[in-house]
Amino acid sequence: MRGRRLERFVAFWTLVFIRLVTGLAGEGRSVWKKDPHFSPVSETQMFLYDTFPKEFLWGVGTGAFQVEGSWRKDGKGSSIWDHFIHSELRDADSTDASSDSYTLLDKDLSALDFLGVTFYQFSISWSRLFPTGVAAAPNEKGLQYYNTLIDSLLNRNIDPVVTLYHWDLPLMLQEKYGGWKNESVIDIFNDYATFCFQTFGDRVKYWITIHNPYLVAWHGYGTGIHAPGERGKITTVYSVGHNLIKAHAKVWHNYKKRFQPYQKGMMSIVLGSHWIEPNKSEDALDISKCQQSMERVLGWFAKPIHGDGDYPEELKNEFSFLPRFTEDEKNYIKGTADFFAFSFGPNNFKPPNTLPKMGQNLSLNLREVLNWIKREYNSPRILIAENGWFTDSHVKTDDTTAIYMMKNFINKVLQAIKYDNIDVFGYTAWSLLDGFEWQHAYNIRRGLFYVDFKSEKKERIPKSSALYYKKIVRENGFFPRESTPSLQAQFSCDFSWGITESVLKAESVASSPQFCDSSLYLWNVTGDGLLHKVKGVKLKTRPAQCTDFVSIKKQLDLLEKMKVTHYRFALDWSLILPNGDLSVVNRQVLRYYRCVISEVLKLNVQSMVTLYYPTHAYLGLPGPLLQAGGWLNQSTAYAFQDYAALCFRELGDLVKLWITINEPNRLSDVYNRSSNDTYQAAHNLLIAHAMAWKIYDEQYRSFQYGKVSLSLHSDWAEPANPYFESHSKAANRFLQFEIGWFADPIFKTGDYPATMREYIGFKNRKGLSYSSLPSFTSEEKQLIKGAADFYALNHFTTRYVIHEPQNGSQYEFDRDIQFLQDITCLSSPSRLAVVPWGLRKVLKWIKKNYGDIDIYITANGIDDQSLDNDELRNYYLGKYVQEVLKAYYIDKVKIKGYYAFKLTEEKSKPRFGFFTSDSKGKPSIKFYNNLISNNGFPADYSACDPPNQEKQCSFCLFISQKKPLIFFACCLFSTLMLLLTIIVFHKRKRRKRFKAKSIQRICVSF
């Protein structure tokens, strides 16, 4: 006994030593150990535009039981799934309603031709060849079908990848032997495999013994949701798994010894798995749980076959009843695969409550699980033998979500090949056709081709995913959709570089009033720590100054660090006019804003002032106006006109750029009780803006020389599915409802977009909506048309749009759209997709629709969680400004300025700021500084650089900027010098007196 223990001890530490020295295998857990310096914008983590290796194999797969149909035709025997459907899934139609590939082979072949794949992975129905399961005389009709299929594939230069067992065990073997619980089935399976090798092996170069044995054992004999539907006994589950491994090994050795030498084929077993991520990547216990989870699913079968011939230690320690391999069996099983065939799809994740998640998080990161396989099993060659996702049964050819899942999965494979040196040599999209989906029956679809199961002809109609996959196969990877290379160029020398802030909360009382109070105070006279006024003493005071406002000083410090030329901020209407009219004007607040503008000007920074900046959380209207209905009441528009006129009069001499209203097209989130409320509020907002613009144009422009506009939220809309015209129409409809809604009346016709009116009318006639757009009078149209001096847009992201018919009288429902999140896009914590080319597209769209007008980008930015290294913001700024430059330089869009969003972040909100809420700067400040100083992306020289003699030295700049400080320092220095002079003078005088007295004493003594 002691000797055996000693052997185990030595063996264990020998294995540990080998792993430490080689680091080749068994190191899967290192995948979860994240680099503490991980960058969210590392090119190795973002979508990769590149091609696969030249010899990469592209394929598509099916399972016989799922697509063949004809379960009783031409002498086919029953399988366990035929029985299971009629006994357990009684609500499901039989497989006679499936794609019927057995009789419609030509249609399957045409579908394969359409895709242009290099291989077709299909399974042989064991009971179609041998109705009883025993390899005696084959069913000639079944034999003829598979011969025809293989020959037809080869005639098309498509390699057959043949699976011997994809879950459809002949029913006779289940009833007679108990199925895979009985070791006798191993030899029967080997006999069946031998026949297949003898019959088809001269033409088949890739063999799969068993498809996903984990699901066969776990769901067939554990949960009972798969055939044969046995439940409950965990010992049976692992006994079945044990027999499946032994069956695979026997068939592999059989092929290797008797057929491989002259047939030259390769063989493996498809192993499927989920993937899992730790709750905390730095937590060793969470990582250990993830490793255990993977070992219980993938490691259960992979370690014996691709590893050392035995089960994972964790599995053996956890389950004492786990069957044991003898040493001979370990050596027999070990290495019985010529490549690692891997399945990663919904069957490995559903039902989620049956997976050993160990309290961690399921993930669809295919690249990570490939890395785990590489590190755990010594870098095997890998075939992705099943991958894809599913759609609901009602989805026909518009399977847009499947496109994005496919895009993500395949790109993860490409990243694994290019960045991680993982040897993936082929990819199987699953599946070719819609078919029977196991426990889901016909309630979900997984095919690239749509099949109407109830139709007579059962045509194979390509879905969007088929078109997308065909493109990937043809291009052997991914090519960037935007091919314009980065520009080395600059904006015009008068280009505005700005920073945007939201509403500035004005100080109603100066924060530093000490120079304004004429009283004298004594502090802590009685030990109470208070100031006590000295009666009868009055000091000289000075007039109030702008620097008395502490918040202004802070703003100036931040702006000075930004090095911008323009500063956009918003006034608070409710503070300036608390009653909503001119009856009460808060002059102190107006003075505060005037101070901000004048002090900012001293930094050579111009202000762009926004009069009204509503948000979802704060509508920003004076209380009386809010109580009177807000923007649903047209009187609010007249109140806004008075407010605007007041601001123009009091501040206009210092302001050259005005924004009347920020993002009025987003107030639909506030006025959302009904669509008619939304449209009426928008109607009044438009009139309010136009009246404010007219006031400025008629009364102030002639001597203030400013410009006025409103700022529209202008995200780009891209059709989520490029293969459907309905998506393109939906994207255009979004732009009309979102941007054209306000831009068309102002910059084009004086009225709402025709597209908008027509679509609402169409829905009205169908009884799907009772919405109604208000009408402008001819006078209002004349007032609104042309009421802007430039186009101001706030742009943050690009939205992927789907056509989705909706019923109801809401603004959102009137558009008939849904948004789709492209999971392959780099995104911010608030899920803003980083799509730089979208900004260029919307700029071109504005020029195309509204002419060659001046454009200011008044807000553009992204939230970034990092406080000390906001790389995402740097990346965003660089890429988006580059697209602005392309629009300016190549597309000739008249862009006058770019304003980054925003100066400071707000507490408990997404981190958009260059500065934290407590005014701590982030590294992105320096990045933006460089963009500004370079005025874009110059080559070797800057066209805007002044001549050398005109360049101001840094010392001179310091002197000019710090005049008050230098003056104070000089005064202090002069005072100190004066004091020193007085002290020296008095010391000398005392010395002379001392000497005189001394001489006098000497004389007296004599």
Side-chain angles (χ1 to χ4, degrees), residues 368-543:
E368 293 285 85
V369 72
L370 291 173
N371 269 281
W372 189 86
I373 291 168
K374 174 189 175 181
R375 299 182 194 192
E376 195 74 15
Y377 304 114
N378 198 13
S379 300
R381 294 192 75 219
I382 300 173
L383 170 69
I384 308 296
E386 177 189 0
N387 182 235
W389 209 242
F390 67 92
T391 59
D392 293 332
S393 59
H394 69 270
V395 175
K396 294 184 178 179
T397 55
D398 184 0
D399 60 339
T400 305
T401 53
I403 289 179
Y404 287 87
M405 294 299 288
M406 177 184 285
K407 178 184 178 184
N408 180 52
F409 285 137
I410 296 177
N411 202 257
K412 291 294 183 187
V413 176
L414 182 60
Q415 290 172 31
I417 294 170
K418 296 290 184 177
Y419 296 137
D420 307 326
N421 297 314
I422 297 175
D423 188 7
V424 183
F425 68 91
Y427 177 88
T428 311
W430 203 274
S431 74
L432 177 65
L433 311 169
D434 288 335
F436 179 81
E437 290 300 334
W438 310 114
Q439 75 269 26
H440 302 289
Y442 296 101
N443 294 318
I444 64 171
R445 293 176 180 269
R446 290 191 65 191
L448 297 177
F449 286 79
Y450 170 76
V451 178
D452 182 353
F453 302 124
K454 295 180 179 178
S455 69
E456 215 174 293
K457 293 184 178 180
K458 296 184 179 178
E459 298 292 348
R460 279 66 167 137
I461 304 170
K463 301 180 185 179
S464 304
S465 54
L467 298 168
Y468 187 69
Y469 189 52
K470 177 181 181 178
K471 181 173 181 282
I472 291 173
V473 172
R474 184 178 68 245
E475 296 177 352
N476 197 35
F478 302 91
F479 286 97
R481 60 190 305 166
E482 301 300 315
S483 57
T484 307
S486 295
L487 281 182
Q488 296 291 313
Q490 290 179 295
F491 294 97
S492 64
C493 297
D494 61 348
F495 192 78
S496 303
W497 290 98
I499 186 72
T500 293
E501 188 61 290
S502 50
V503 177
L504 282 190
K505 290 296 179 185
E507 296 179 54
S508 55
V509 179
S511 319
S512 306
Q514 63 267 31
F515 296 112
C516 306
D517 191 346
S518 60
S519 300
L520 176 67
Y521 296 88
L522 295 176
W523 176 70
N524 203 27
V525 175
T526 60
D528 58 2
L530 300 176
L531 289 170
H532 295 271
K533 193 172 187 180
V534 179
K535 295 180 180 178
V537 178
K538 292 293 180 182
L539 303 174
K540 286 186 177 181
T541 61
R542 63 157 173 76

Side-chain angles (χ1 to χ4, degrees), residues 7 205 218 248 251 291 364 375 430 439 507 575 594 661 774-775 886 960 969 978 980:
E7 285 177 9
K205 301 307 174 191
W218 193 259
H248 158 76
V251 170
Q291 179 72 8
L364 295 175
R375 299 182 194 192
W430 203 274
Q439 75 269 26
E507 296 179 54
L575 282 181
R594 185 171 181 85
I661 305 166
S775 296
K886 290 175 186 176
S960 66
L978 182 62
L980 283 170

